[in-house]
Amino acid sequence: MTVEQRQAFGAWYSKVMPPSVIIRGHQSLIRDTGNLIAYLPFHNFQHLSSAQLLDGLDVLQRNTLTPLKQEFIAHSLIGTYRNLTAQDFTRLGNVLCLADLEDLLVYKDTEVFRVIQDSVMNCTRQGLSLPSHLISSLLLTSGDLKVPSSLSPGRLAELGHLLPSLGVTFLQAVTPSQLLDAQPALAALDSFSPAQAYLIVDKMSSSSTLTAPGRLQELGPLVMGMKTETLLTLTSDLLLSSLPAMAQHTPGFSPPQANALSTRLWGFPEVVDWQDDVEPLLYATPLLSVMSRIPQLVNNTNSAFTKPWNTQQAKALFKEVLDTRPHLIEQDLLTLGTLGQGVSCKVLQERLHSDSSPSSVRRILAFLRQQPGPLHTSLKECVIDKVIQFDFVSELLKDLGAEIALSMSVSTIKKFPTDIMHTLRKVIVQDPHHFLLLPRVKQKLLVDKMAQKLGMYTGVFTEEEFRSLGIMAPFVVDEVFVQLDRSFFIDNLDSLQELCYSIGKMDIVAHILQEPAVFGPVSSWKQTTLSQVDRFLFFLPKDKLQEIPLALMTVGRLEKLFMSQRRWERGDVGLHCLEEDEKKTFFEKQQYFLQFFLGFLKITPQSPAPMVPTCEILHTTAPAAWTPDSLTSMSTSAFKNCLELMGHDPFLESYQRREVLRKVRQIYGPASNFSQSVISQLGRISLELSLAELSSLRLTERRSIAALGAVSAWNNRQLSALFTTVLNSTQQSPSQLDSSTLVAMGHIVCGAKTTEINSFNAVEFSKAVLWLGQLRLSCSEEQLLAFVGLLDHSLAFGAISSWGTDVFIEIGIIAAGLPDMAMSALVKEQIEGFKPEALAATPPEKFKVVFHQSQISWFSYEQGAAVTKEQLSALSDVQKTALAMVLTPWEDRPVDFRGRSLGLALSHSPLCLILGLLMLLVLPCSDLICPGT
């Protein structure tokens, strides 16, 4: 059965199996009842006694139990009984991994303990996330682990999946021959950190030639531990033979590695015939590398029309097809395959116009939905502009797919009749990813209009209504959300926790949790309550968190809560849910939570010494959640194991970093002594290094350069020192820097003087710009201008006037450095390629001078929303009006022609918007009024 079917059966059965019946039931209740009892809602299920659970364990185990019910069984049985047999634990299987450590340690000196250890080992081998103290106490206390060099290859292979937890100090003590013998087991793992992978590969390289034919393929995910410098020395034959196996793990490639591999392979003319082999690296292949091969690629249509090109590559290839083989497009646009994401708006609209029959339009829409990557904003808006003109547009809504449908404006969507709104709702619910990518204001407005149209503004927010909205449900306005059906809320907490909540909605959820009909006052909560509430616990205000009974908040429980939150954050919903300021606010709540329950916030002379974290518990919580004293009190071994984790924690504050760096100096000596491995682990901690220390670093490898280049918070003096340090360490002049080094430098490129930038190799910089353009560089206007000067070199992208959408997408934020004259001459196609970040990085006075109102009117909503307050204040009234007209269709608000709230509203009608903008060109602002709706 599906989850929904099981829930439905459980809800139905709960009517005849209420808590009172369960409490009065015999010990054999579960066996007598059968499978259906496993699907009872948890508020019924939790009344089963330990005796009933033990008697009916076999019945429960043959059904699909939620993690919450499994945890309840583990606590009830293992927490109640102290004489369970080996057979009982075998019957429990993975459920015993959810028990409290204290309950399992009761069996430590018995023959049952081995069964418990084997079960926990099996859980870890299956990838189940368990509290660190449980793994450490049950699995990592074996005597042979104290002498890693004594482990047999078999034992090392058996422990393979635990090696990432054991850390770099353990791996350093393992011999190269041991690692080589255990390589097949290690190569099957994808949980090693970059520092650990580098260490393993370095060790194995010391006694074996890993670059010999056949050896690279055997590394598996450990390939991310190969030095970029080594990859650049490999022959094309060796790279091609190894790439298919390595490419299975391309997410593990660092940007410098990916750039080095792709640029090296695309440097060979034969690459046109290697398309199947290089396909996995297309995402990392610079546009410039592809552009030089475009004629040959287009002639080889089997390759050109089937590969997963990114948008800018597809646009460049499409342009070549249009120029040299237009008959292919004229015969059938759909034969272009994966180049569909690069099709121009003009061609697409011509095809839609030439055959506007429903079947033809549907074929084209299906063709666009099947593209390998996300469609560019301009292409989606192009489709909407044309399709919305058809009389049968309502019939095409489900054919648009969520990605294109969500490009429609609120002013269009709010006019949908109820049946069409239902269709849009279904389209989004079936493919929620694209909704999560929308700006918050779009999400709220869209759901608000949908809820209004579907009649959700009156009475209780029912289960049916909530489920019908899917991922959108928490985005209804507060007055609707607060009316959420409480019985549905209680019965579905596990699925509700998978959704996305703004900070405001978190407050409402916290209030609901404390209602008498739900769980009541926090002070009365029990262990089962905490299990049910799970990560929603972090939604509570700080004063209410303090009311949780201290005895319930064990270290194991605390870890489980953090692990649950981390698991959600790494999922598709969590990755795209909170905005940056919300993430910071939410993390501060977690930090308070940990420090309060571990006693850091209420130290008295009678208090026990605060807990010193292990490296393992820092992985399950977060380094920044701990006090600096607790971090520096860690053992040297634990501290070294977790240095990389601390260095990459985005929430580690300056006062914490300073103390951590002090301990780093104690362990490793002065900065001039730091090894490449130590530097690569420092990350944001390096922000606290003095200018003299930054200048003394030895940045000889791209991995150490990349670790510092990924940090965005450097000040100008630090950037300048780092750029000079890179040159001195690598003994290169600015003109000798290759693309992979420039990619590794990242933010550090803003430390170069304009004279140094002017001497960069234009081709190498243009191949690095795919990565550099994605960063929010803090470069000055003069530096960005110098970068653009490299890009318009004849051997790079050529004259700016010839750049198309593809080049502007590729160069990203660097476009903010376009000369004033070039920027003011941009045509619509070029502006469409401007990244919103590039517009936001344009100095306000320059923005005002170069973008006239007609250019601003070409902005997409995302581009318009990126305009900063400083830029907006510098604009003229006419420019402000043009910008407001860009935002109005989505933000569904009146437009003020003077840029002030004076009540001169512009209709949301598209026709009136267009007429208004045309009138801007011929009439004074004060003469313009377009009646509001």
Side-chain angles (χ1 to χ4, degrees):
M1 292 189 293
T2 65
V3 173
E4 290 75 17
Q5 288 172 319
R6 291 197 294 270
Q7 290 174 334
F9 271 113
W12 168 76
Y13 195 56
S14 67
K15 297 173 183 176
V16 295
M17 189 63 73
S20 58
V21 172
I22 295 174
I23 293 169
R24 294 196 309 266
H26 294 295
Q27 180 173 317
S28 60
L29 175 68
I30 296 176
R31 283 193 293 109
D32 296 339
T33 305
N35 297 329
L36 203 55
I37 203 167
Y39 304 120
L40 281 174
F42 184 76
H43 72 263
N44 296 60
F45 190 89
Q46 67 180 326
H47 293 284
L48 289 165
S49 69
S50 300
Q52 290 170 330
L53 291 169
L54 185 61
D55 182 84
L57 186 58
D58 292 336
V59 173
L60 296 174
Q61 288 285 57
R62 67 174 177 247
N63 289 283
T64 304
L65 296 169
T66 64
L68 179 60
K69 290 176 181 176
Q70 290 179 332
E71 183 178 319
F72 173 72
I73 293 170
H75 288 161
S76 295
L77 295 182
I78 303 173
T80 300
Y81 298 104
R82 290 293 185 264
N83 58 347
L84 295 174
T85 66
Q87 184 180 3
D88 291 330
F89 280 110
T90 300
R91 290 170 66 206
L92 279 168
N94 287 357
V95 169
L96 80 81
C97 297
L98 300 175
D100 286 335
L101 173 64
E102 296 74 18
D103 295 331
L104 293 174
L105 288 178
V106 169
Y107 299 88
K108 186 167 185 178
D109 297 321
T110 70
E111 60 183 18
V112 173
F113 197 61
R114 184 61 188 174
V115 176
I116 294 174
Q117 288 178 306
D118 289 343
S119 293
V120 174
M121 178 68 89
N122 189 51
C123 287
T124 59
R125 194 174 287 117
Q126 292 177 29
L128 300 180
S129 297
L130 303 179
S132 67
H133 77 309
L134 184 74
I135 296 176
S136 299
S137 300
L138 297 182
L139 303 182
L140 305 182
T141 57
S142 177
D144 61 351
L145 297 182
K146 296 177 181 177
V147 188
S149 60
S150 67
L151 296 173
S152 67
R155 176 67 170 147
L156 195 62
E158 179 189 2
L159 292 169
H161 65 289
L162 296 178
L163 291 182
S165 299
L166 290 168
V168 292
T169 54
F170 183 91
L171 292 169
Q172 283 170 339
V174 177
T175 66
S177 59
Q178 284 176 297
L179 290 171
L180 286 168
D181 289 339
Q183 182 178 330
L186 303 184
L189 303 173
D190 59 3
S191 49
F192 287 111
S193 71
Q196 293 170 339
Y198 274 118
L199 175 59
I200 293 171
V201 171
D202 279 350
K203 273 184 166 287
M204 291 194 295
S205 299
S206 66
S207 62
S208 175
T209 306
L210 295 181
T211 56
R215 293 306 306 276
L216 278 178
Q217 297 94 307
E218 298 170 2
L219 285 178
L222 289 173
V223 72
M224 69 176 175
M226 291 286 293
K227 294 180 181 178
T228 305
E229 290 78 6
T230 302
L231 293 174
L232 284 168
T233 66
L234 303 181
T235 64
S236 60
D237 289 343
L238 183 56
L239 282 175
L240 288 172
S241 64
S242 307
L243 194 54
M246 292 195 299
Q248 297 176 35
H249 316 288
T250 47
F253 281 138
S254 67
Q257 287 174 316
N259 176 272
L261 284 169
S262 61
T263 53
R264 179 157 175 74
L265 287 170
W266 279 81
F268 294 99
E270 298 85 355
V271 72
V272 175
D273 302 317
W274 301 340
Q275 289 303 294
D276 289 340
D277 295 317
V278 301
E279 178 178 320
L281 281 174
L282 282 182
Y283 78 96
T285 302
L287 178 62
L288 191 65
S289 296
V290 175
M291 289 174 75
S292 62
R293 311 290 181 204
I294 281 180
Q296 299 94 320
L297 287 169
V298 168
N299 287 330
N300 185 357
T301 55
N302 289 336
S303 290
F305 296 173
T306 60
K307 301 307 174 193
W309 308 103
N310 62 32
T311 301
Q312 54 267 41
Q313 293 164 349
K315 283 188 172 293
L317 286 160
F318 173 81
K319 186 176 184 302
E320 179 71 12
V321 174
L322 187 62
D323 291 343
T324 63
R325 307 181 70 181
H327 61 281
L328 291 176
I329 299 172
E330 293 168 1
Q331 291 169 1
D332 188 358
L333 181 68
L334 309 190
T335 60
L336 292 180
T338 55
L339 296 193
Q341 60 189 322
V343 66
S344 70
C345 182
K346 179 181 178 182
V347 168
L348 181 63
Q349 293 202 342
E350 285 175 353
R351 294 298 168 269
L352 288 169
H353 180 74
S354 63
D355 184 354
S356 57
S357 65
S359 60
S360 175
V361 174
R362 285 194 172 97
R363 282 196 299 272
I364 290 177
L365 293 177
F367 166 66
L368 294 175
R369 290 200 311 274
Q370 293 162 7
Q371 293 303 307
L375 300 178
H376 192 257
T377 300
S378 60
L379 183 58
K380 290 184 287 188
E381 292 180 347
C382 173
V383 173
I384 293 297
D385 288 346
K386 186 63 180 178
V387 168
I388 210 163
Q389 299 173 17
F390 296 140
D391 295 334
F392 53 94
V393 61
S394 60
E395 302 170 24
L396 293 174
L397 193 54
K398 61 184 177 183
D399 298 289
L400 287 173
E403 184 179 11
I404 298 177
L406 285 170
S407 294
M408 289 187 289
S409 66
V410 165
S411 59
T412 298
I413 291 173
K414 73 174 186 178
K415 297 173 185 174
F416 285 170
T418 303
D419 59 331
I420 304 305
M421 193 68 85
H422 270 300
T423 301
L424 177 62
R425 174 188 59 76
K426 291 176 183 177
V427 167
I428 298 171
V429 170
Q430 290 168 2
D431 186 10
H433 174 74
H434 300 288
F435 175 82
L436 290 169
L437 299 180
L438 292 177
R440 181 61 55 83
V441 65
K442 278 191 174 187
Q443 292 171 328
K444 288 182 177 179
L445 282 167
L446 172 64
V447 177
D448 181 40
K449 300 304 177 188
M450 188 174 291
Q452 286 184 40
K453 184 68 69 172
L454 300 181
M456 297 181 185
Y457 266 72
T458 56
V460 175
F461 187 23
T462 66
E463 173 180 356
E464 181 182 2
E465 291 172 333
F466 191 97
R467 289 191 186 279
S468 73
L469 289 176
I471 193 67
M472 297 181 286
F475 290 86
V476 296
V477 294
D478 290 356
E479 54 264 38
V480 172
F481 189 81
V482 78
Q483 298 297 326
L484 182 62
D485 182 277
R486 298 307 192 251
S487 61
F488 165 70
F489 179 86
I490 296 171
D491 289 345
N492 295 273
L493 273 172
D494 52 348
S495 59
L496 293 178
Q497 287 164 15
E498 298 303 314
L499 301 176
C500 172
Y501 301 86
S502 65
I503 296 295
K505 288 298 191 302
M506 290 180 191
D507 294 337
I508 296 177
V509 170
H511 180 77
I512 292 174
L513 290 170
Q514 300 170 72
E515 292 177 354
V518 185
F519 295 119
V522 174
S523 58
S524 66
W525 288 8
K526 296 179 171 48
Q527 188 179 67
T528 52
T529 314
L530 298 185
S531 296
Q532 287 176 271
V533 172
D534 198 41
R535 79 175 192 90
F536 277 171
L537 205 65
F538 291 125
F539 290 14
L540 294 174
K542 292 178 180 179
D543 61 322
K544 293 301 179 182
L545 284 174
Q546 296 178 22
E547 297 179 12
I548 297 173
L550 291 177
L552 296 182
M553 196 53 62
T554 62
V555 174
R557 168 65 60 189
L558 186 145
E559 277 198 86
K560 285 183 178 180
L561 287 168
F562 272 87
M563 289 161 60
S564 177
Q565 177 64 23
R566 298 285 172 269
R567 192 161 48 244
W568 175 82
E569 288 173 351
R570 296 184 185 111
D572 192 44
V573 176
L575 280 173
H576 302 103
C577 177
L578 299 181
E579 297 175 335
E580 289 306 312
D581 58 333
E582 291 180 315
K583 289 179 182 177
K584 177 66 173 174
T585 300
F586 190 72
F587 177 76
E588 289 171 353
K589 181 83 69 67
Q590 296 175 71
Q591 183 185 51
Y592 177 87
F593 178 87
L594 180 141
Q595 294 189 13
F596 175 79
F597 284 106
L598 292 185
F600 291 107
L601 301 182
K602 50 183 180 180
I603 297 176
T604 65
Q606 294 76 35
S607 299
M611 178 180 174
V612 175
T614 61
C615 181
E616 292 81 8
I617 201 172
L618 291 189
H619 275 280
T620 54
T621 55
W626 297 74
T627 64
D629 286 346
S630 66
L631 295 176
T632 56
S633 297
M634 294 168 67
S635 69
T636 298
S637 174
F639 185 88
K640 291 168 72 173
N641 279 341
C642 256
L643 179 58
E644 181 179 25
L645 182 69
M646 290 186 273
H648 290 85
D649 190 327
F651 298 115
L652 206 66
E653 296 288 351
S654 180
Y655 72 95
Q656 294 170 307
R657 297 194 301 261
R658 283 196 300 270
E659 293 303 306
V660 169
L661 182 59
R662 182 175 57 81
K663 176 126 183 174
V664 170
R665 293 190 188 103
Q666 290 175 0
I667 295 174
Y668 296 106
S672 57
N673 287 355
F674 291 173
S675 67
Q676 299 304 290
S677 175
V678 169
I679 297 171
S680 68
Q681 295 175 63
L682 283 179
R684 288 173 50 83
I685 297 169
S686 56
L687 284 167
E688 306 307 319
L689 290 169
S690 68
L691 291 178
E693 288 177 312
L694 290 175
S695 298
S696 72
L697 292 173
R698 291 178 296 112
L699 301 176
T700 57
E701 294 180 2
R702 288 168 179 81
R703 61 166 164 161
S704 58
I705 298 171
L708 305 187
V711 178
S712 61
W714 300 110
N715 61 42
N716 290 337
R717 295 178 68 194
Q718 289 173 316
L719 288 170
S720 178
L722 281 169
F723 183 81
T724 302
T725 301
V726 171
L727 297 183
N728 293 338
S729 300
T730 59
Q731 297 185 335
Q732 291 181 306
S733 66
S735 62
Q736 294 174 311
L737 297 172
D738 65 9
S739 62
S740 62
T741 303
L742 288 166
V743 167
M745 292 177 79
H747 292 276
I748 297 174
V749 297
C750 294
K753 301 181 179 70
T754 53
T755 52
E756 292 171 319
I757 294 173
N758 290 332
S759 68
F760 283 2
N761 182 301
V763 172
E764 294 299 317
F765 181 80
S766 298
K767 289 179 180 178
V769 80
L770 169 63
W771 298 97
L772 296 176
Q774 296 174 22
L775 304 176
R776 291 182 179 272
L777 297 175
S778 60
C779 299
S780 67
E781 184 178 0
E782 292 74 20
Q783 289 172 313
L784 291 174
L785 183 63
F787 288 146
V788 171
L790 297 171
L791 299 177
D792 75 355
H793 191 280
S794 59
L795 295 178
F797 295 120
I800 296 172
S801 59
S802 69
W803 294 0
T805 310
D806 53 346
V807 175
F808 281 95
I809 295 173
E810 178 85 355
I811 69 175
I813 200 168
I814 306 297
L818 286 174
D820 290 9
M821 289 290 288
M823 199 174 281
S824 62
L826 293 176
V827 298
K828 188 173 188 294
E829 180 191 37
Q830 294 172 314
I831 286 181
E832 286 175 346
F834 246 83
K835 292 286 183 71
E837 295 79 7
L839 287 171
T842 306
E845 283 305 314
K846 176 177 180 176
F847 191 99
K848 173 185 179 180
V849 171
V850 300
F851 288 119
H852 50 79
Q853 60 267 25
S854 61
Q855 286 178 309
I856 293 174
S857 72
W858 295 332
F859 287 0
S860 67
Y861 171 83
E862 286 72 19
Q863 289 172 325
V867 174
T868 66
K869 292 179 180 179
E870 293 75 16
Q871 290 171 331
L872 181 62
S873 63
L875 296 180
S876 67
D877 289 342
V878 176
Q879 288 172 309
K880 287 178 181 177
T881 301
L883 178 62
M885 295 170 77
V886 168
L887 299 174
T888 293
W890 248 115
E891 297 194 353
D892 200 32
R893 66 186 183 189
V895 171
D896 169 20
F897 285 100
R898 295 185 176 87
R900 296 182 295 274
S901 299
L902 297 179
L904 296 176
L906 181 69
S907 165
H908 301 138
S909 159
L911 177 60
C912 196
L913 286 173
I914 294 169
L915 290 175
L917 189 56
L918 290 174
M919 292 167 69
L920 286 173
L921 305 177
V922 296
L923 293 176
C925 188
S926 58
D927 293 340
L928 294 174
I929 294 181
C930 191
T933 53

mmCIF file of all heavy atoms in Angstrom, residues 345-357 360-361 364 386-387 389-390:
data_model
loop_
_atom_site.group_PDB
_atom_site.id
_atom_site.type_symbol
_atom_site.label_atom_id
_atom_site.label_comp_id
_atom_site.label_asym_id
_atom_site.label_seq_id
_atom_site.Cartn_x
_atom_site.Cartn_y
_atom_site.Cartn_z
ATOM 1 N N CYS A 345 13.814 32.939 -28.982
ATOM 2 C CA CYS A 345 12.401 33.257 -28.842
ATOM 3 C C CYS A 345 11.754 33.474 -30.219
ATOM 4 O O CYS A 345 10.642 33.024 -30.466
ATOM 5 C CB CYS A 345 12.231 34.500 -27.976
ATOM 6 S SG CYS A 345 10.511 34.971 -27.672
ATOM 7 N N LYS A 346 12.477 34.138 -31.088
ATOM 8 C CA LYS A 346 11.921 34.419 -32.413
ATOM 9 C C LYS A 346 11.583 33.143 -33.154
ATOM 10 O O LYS A 346 10.481 32.988 -33.698
ATOM 11 C CB LYS A 346 12.924 35.247 -33.226
ATOM 12 C CG LYS A 346 12.452 35.584 -34.636
ATOM 13 C CD LYS A 346 13.509 36.377 -35.393
ATOM 14 C CE LYS A 346 13.034 36.667 -36.820
ATOM 15 N NZ LYS A 346 14.065 37.397 -37.596
ATOM 16 N N VAL A 347 12.504 32.193 -33.158
ATOM 17 C CA VAL A 347 12.272 30.928 -33.866
ATOM 18 C C VAL A 347 11.131 30.159 -33.211
ATOM 19 O O VAL A 347 10.262 29.598 -33.888
ATOM 20 C CB VAL A 347 13.553 30.075 -33.887
ATOM 21 C CG1 VAL A 347 13.257 28.651 -34.348
ATOM 22 C CG2 VAL A 347 14.597 30.719 -34.797
ATOM 23 N N LEU A 348 11.131 30.118 -31.881
ATOM 24 C CA LEU A 348 10.099 29.373 -31.181
ATOM 25 C C LEU A 348 8.718 29.949 -31.480
ATOM 26 O O LEU A 348 7.767 29.200 -31.768
ATOM 27 C CB LEU A 348 10.370 29.411 -29.674
ATOM 28 C CG LEU A 348 9.380 28.646 -28.799
ATOM 29 C CD1 LEU A 348 9.410 27.158 -29.113
ATOM 30 C CD2 LEU A 348 9.678 28.871 -27.329
ATOM 31 N N GLN A 349 8.602 31.267 -31.428
ATOM 32 C CA GLN A 349 7.294 31.869 -31.670
ATOM 33 C C GLN A 349 6.872 31.725 -33.128
ATOM 34 O O GLN A 349 5.683 31.586 -33.424
ATOM 35 C CB GLN A 349 7.316 33.338 -31.249
ATOM 36 C CG GLN A 349 7.467 33.513 -29.735
ATOM 37 C CD GLN A 349 6.987 34.853 -29.236
ATOM 38 O OE1 GLN A 349 6.838 35.788 -30.004
ATOM 39 N NE2 GLN A 349 6.738 34.948 -27.940
ATOM 40 N N GLU A 350 7.841 31.716 -34.042
ATOM 41 C CA GLU A 350 7.519 31.472 -35.446
ATOM 42 C C GLU A 350 6.924 30.079 -35.633
ATOM 43 O O GLU A 350 5.964 29.893 -36.385
ATOM 44 C CB GLU A 350 8.769 31.624 -36.317
ATOM 45 C CG GLU A 350 9.195 33.067 -36.547
ATOM 46 C CD GLU A 350 10.516 33.158 -37.316
ATOM 47 O OE1 GLU A 350 11.139 32.091 -37.541
ATOM 48 O OE2 GLU A 350 10.924 34.290 -37.661
ATOM 49 N N ARG A 351 7.504 29.094 -34.951
ATOM 50 C CA ARG A 351 7.002 27.720 -35.075
ATOM 51 C C ARG A 351 5.615 27.594 -34.464
ATOM 52 O O ARG A 351 4.740 26.924 -34.994
ATOM 53 C CB ARG A 351 7.959 26.735 -34.408
ATOM 54 C CG ARG A 351 9.304 26.630 -35.094
ATOM 55 C CD ARG A 351 9.153 26.112 -36.555
ATOM 56 N NE ARG A 351 10.391 26.269 -37.307
ATOM 57 C CZ ARG A 351 10.705 27.331 -38.032
ATOM 58 N NH1 ARG A 351 9.861 28.355 -38.095
ATOM 59 N NH2 ARG A 351 11.835 27.395 -38.704
ATOM 60 N N LEU A 352 5.409 28.255 -33.332
ATOM 61 C CA LEU A 352 4.098 28.211 -32.700
ATOM 62 C C LEU A 352 3.051 28.912 -33.555
ATOM 63 O O LEU A 352 1.887 28.503 -33.606
ATOM 64 C CB LEU A 352 4.168 28.862 -31.313
ATOM 65 C CG LEU A 352 4.907 28.077 -30.227
ATOM 66 C CD1 LEU A 352 5.128 28.944 -28.993
ATOM 67 C CD2 LEU A 352 4.145 26.817 -29.845
ATOM 68 N N HIS A 353 3.481 29.959 -34.255
ATOM 69 C CA HIS A 353 2.556 30.717 -35.103
ATOM 70 C C HIS A 353 2.246 29.956 -36.390
ATOM 71 O O HIS A 353 1.110 29.968 -36.861
ATOM 72 C CB HIS A 353 3.152 32.084 -35.432
ATOM 73 C CG HIS A 353 2.262 32.935 -36.295
ATOM 74 N ND1 HIS A 353 1.125 33.546 -35.792
ATOM 75 C CD2 HIS A 353 2.329 33.261 -37.619
ATOM 76 C CE1 HIS A 353 0.541 34.210 -36.776
ATOM 77 N NE2 HIS A 353 1.253 34.058 -37.892
ATOM 78 N N SER A 354 3.260 29.287 -36.960
ATOM 79 C CA SER A 354 3.056 28.595 -38.243
ATOM 80 C C SER A 354 2.095 27.420 -38.118
ATOM 81 O O SER A 354 1.384 27.085 -39.050
ATOM 82 C CB SER A 354 4.398 28.098 -38.802
ATOM 83 O OG SER A 354 4.971 27.143 -37.921
ATOM 84 N N ASP A 355 2.090 26.780 -36.937
ATOM 85 C CA ASP A 355 1.129 25.701 -36.705
ATOM 86 C C ASP A 355 0.668 25.812 -35.264
ATOM 87 O O ASP A 355 1.313 25.325 -34.339
ATOM 88 C CB ASP A 355 1.779 24.331 -36.948
ATOM 89 C CG ASP A 355 0.776 23.180 -36.819
ATOM 90 O OD1 ASP A 355 -0.382 23.453 -36.433
ATOM 91 O OD2 ASP A 355 1.155 22.023 -37.094
ATOM 92 N N SER A 356 -0.461 26.498 -35.096
ATOM 93 C CA SER A 356 -0.948 26.761 -33.744
ATOM 94 C C SER A 356 -2.052 25.795 -33.327
ATOM 95 O O SER A 356 -2.843 26.094 -32.447
ATOM 96 C CB SER A 356 -1.446 28.203 -33.636
ATOM 97 O OG SER A 356 -2.465 28.443 -34.595
ATOM 98 N N SER A 357 -2.080 24.637 -33.975
ATOM 99 C CA SER A 357 -3.066 23.635 -33.579
ATOM 100 C C SER A 357 -2.707 23.099 -32.192
ATOM 101 O O SER A 357 -1.527 23.052 -31.829
ATOM 102 C CB SER A 357 -3.093 22.485 -34.581
ATOM 103 O OG SER A 357 -1.856 21.797 -34.571
ATOM 104 N N SER A 360 0.052 20.438 -32.186
ATOM 105 C CA SER A 360 1.393 20.932 -32.500
ATOM 106 C C SER A 360 1.993 21.679 -31.307
ATOM 107 O O SER A 360 3.163 21.491 -30.965
ATOM 108 C CB SER A 360 1.340 21.865 -33.715
ATOM 109 O OG SER A 360 2.614 22.432 -33.965
ATOM 110 N N VAL A 361 1.181 22.515 -30.678
ATOM 111 C CA VAL A 361 1.656 23.274 -29.521
ATOM 112 C C VAL A 361 2.038 22.323 -28.396
ATOM 113 O O VAL A 361 3.063 22.491 -27.732
ATOM 114 C CB VAL A 361 0.584 24.278 -29.047
ATOM 115 C CG1 VAL A 361 1.024 24.965 -27.758
ATOM 116 C CG2 VAL A 361 0.320 25.320 -30.132
ATOM 117 N N ILE A 364 5.449 20.773 -28.953
ATOM 118 C CA ILE A 364 6.554 21.691 -28.651
ATOM 119 C C ILE A 364 6.724 21.843 -27.143
ATOM 120 O O ILE A 364 7.852 21.865 -26.632
ATOM 121 C CB ILE A 364 6.310 23.059 -29.315
ATOM 122 C CG1 ILE A 364 6.456 22.927 -30.836
ATOM 123 C CG2 ILE A 364 7.285 24.112 -28.776
ATOM 124 C CD1 ILE A 364 6.182 24.189 -31.613
ATOM 125 N N LYS A 386 3.461 33.816 -25.908
ATOM 126 C CA LYS A 386 2.816 33.310 -27.117
ATOM 127 C C LYS A 386 1.611 32.434 -26.781
ATOM 128 O O LYS A 386 0.523 32.619 -27.337
ATOM 129 C CB LYS A 386 3.822 32.505 -27.946
ATOM 130 C CG LYS A 386 3.278 32.059 -29.314
ATOM 131 C CD LYS A 386 2.959 33.250 -30.200
ATOM 132 C CE LYS A 386 2.419 32.831 -31.555
ATOM 133 N NZ LYS A 386 2.072 33.996 -32.392
ATOM 134 N N VAL A 387 1.807 31.515 -25.855
ATOM 135 C CA VAL A 387 0.748 30.554 -25.545
ATOM 136 C C VAL A 387 -0.475 31.252 -24.960
ATOM 137 O O VAL A 387 -1.608 30.850 -25.212
ATOM 138 C CB VAL A 387 1.275 29.473 -24.575
ATOM 139 C CG1 VAL A 387 0.134 28.636 -24.003
ATOM 140 C CG2 VAL A 387 2.264 28.567 -25.293
ATOM 141 N N GLN A 389 -1.838 33.788 -25.776
ATOM 142 C CA GLN A 389 -2.673 34.398 -26.810
ATOM 143 C C GLN A 389 -3.660 33.398 -27.428
ATOM 144 O O GLN A 389 -4.614 33.786 -28.088
ATOM 145 C CB GLN A 389 -1.789 34.975 -27.923
ATOM 146 C CG GLN A 389 -0.829 36.050 -27.466
ATOM 147 C CD GLN A 389 0.142 36.462 -28.563
ATOM 148 O OE1 GLN A 389 -0.073 36.187 -29.740
ATOM 149 N NE2 GLN A 389 1.218 37.135 -28.172
ATOM 150 N N PHE A 390 -3.419 32.104 -27.210
ATOM 151 C CA PHE A 390 -4.277 31.091 -27.822
ATOM 152 C C PHE A 390 -5.615 31.007 -27.095
ATOM 153 O O PHE A 390 -5.686 31.097 -25.866
ATOM 154 C CB PHE A 390 -3.596 29.716 -27.805
ATOM 155 C CG PHE A 390 -2.343 29.645 -28.637
ATOM 156 C CD1 PHE A 390 -1.229 28.951 -28.175
ATOM 157 C CD2 PHE A 390 -2.263 30.250 -29.868
ATOM 158 C CE1 PHE A 390 -0.070 28.875 -28.930
ATOM 159 C CE2 PHE A 390 -1.114 30.183 -30.638
ATOM 160 C CZ PHE A 390 -0.010 29.500 -30.168
#
